[in-house]
Amino acid sequence: MMKKLWKISFLYFILAIVCGVFYREFTKYMAFEGRTALAFAHGHLLALGCFLFLLLMLFYRSLKLNESRKFKVFLVLYNIGLPLTVVMMFVRGAVQVLEIQPGAGANGAISGVAGIAHILVTAGFVTLFLALKERIELEER
């Protein structure tokens, strides 16, 4: 499982770098000046993806997270929610850079899916905190 956490962290690192390069090159190619949702994908993937899983590697063995069902639920929820959040940042950012005026339905759909993605990330964090609490309490006995 340690190797899996490392792979997840490294994957998020690679995706963060790709997102950063894409944002820079796409906005430059399109001669777009200003802020766009694309600017935040890089930071989200680094902080919430790469760095979080590097940090979890530090706690993994000492807290025996592999024994927690809640930790496994966290992995599923979080690794669906974070990529979906970033995809929706890309969609919103591309709409902004291309200066597309989506209809109310399309705009609502983008916001709705982004909202669901954020709910999944939040649910993932809640289960992570519950897993950590559970493991810490077992360690203190």
Side-chain angles (χ1 to χ4, degrees):
M1 181 64 97
M2 264 301 247
K3 194 172 186 178
K4 182 178 183 177
L5 293 176
W6 180 87
K7 286 179 180 179
I8 292 169
S9 179
F10 187 65
L11 177 63
Y12 281 126
F13 169 75
I14 296 298
L15 291 173
I17 299 305
V18 169
C19 283
V21 170
F22 176 80
Y23 162 67
R24 181 175 171 268
E25 295 302 317
F26 182 59
T27 54
K28 186 167 60 171
Y29 177 77
M30 297 302 293
F32 182 82
E33 299 284 330
R35 207 69 162 150
T36 171
L38 288 173
F40 301 104
H42 169 76
H44 274 68
L45 287 169
L46 271 180
L48 297 175
C50 176
F51 296 150
L52 176 68
F53 283 95
L54 284 175
L55 188 61
L56 286 175
M57 286 173 61
L58 296 175
F59 295 109
Y60 182 76
R61 281 215 174 101
S62 63
L63 292 178
K64 299 176 185 157
L65 286 172
N66 61 316
E67 296 175 13
S68 173
R69 180 161 160 42
K70 291 179 181 98
F71 185 71
K72 292 171 183 141
V73 171
F74 154 75
L75 286 174
V76 172
L77 290 173
Y78 196 80
N79 287 310
I80 292 170
L82 182 57
L84 186 56
T85 298
V86 172
V87 165
M88 296 319 295
M89 286 178 176
F90 260 76
V91 170
R92 177 71 69 196
V95 165
Q96 291 168 332
V97 171
L98 297 172
E99 297 178 351
I100 298 170
Q101 298 299 323
N107 198 35
I110 293 169
S111 295
V113 173
I116 290 168
H118 279 83
I119 289 168
L120 289 171
V121 169
T122 302
F125 266 121
V126 168
T127 57
L128 173 62
F129 277 106
L130 292 173
L132 290 171
K133 181 179 183 266
E134 167 190 88
R135 300 311 306 166
I136 289 168
E137 287 174 350
L138 284 172
E139 285 291 316
E140 291 179 345
R141 287 184 192 169

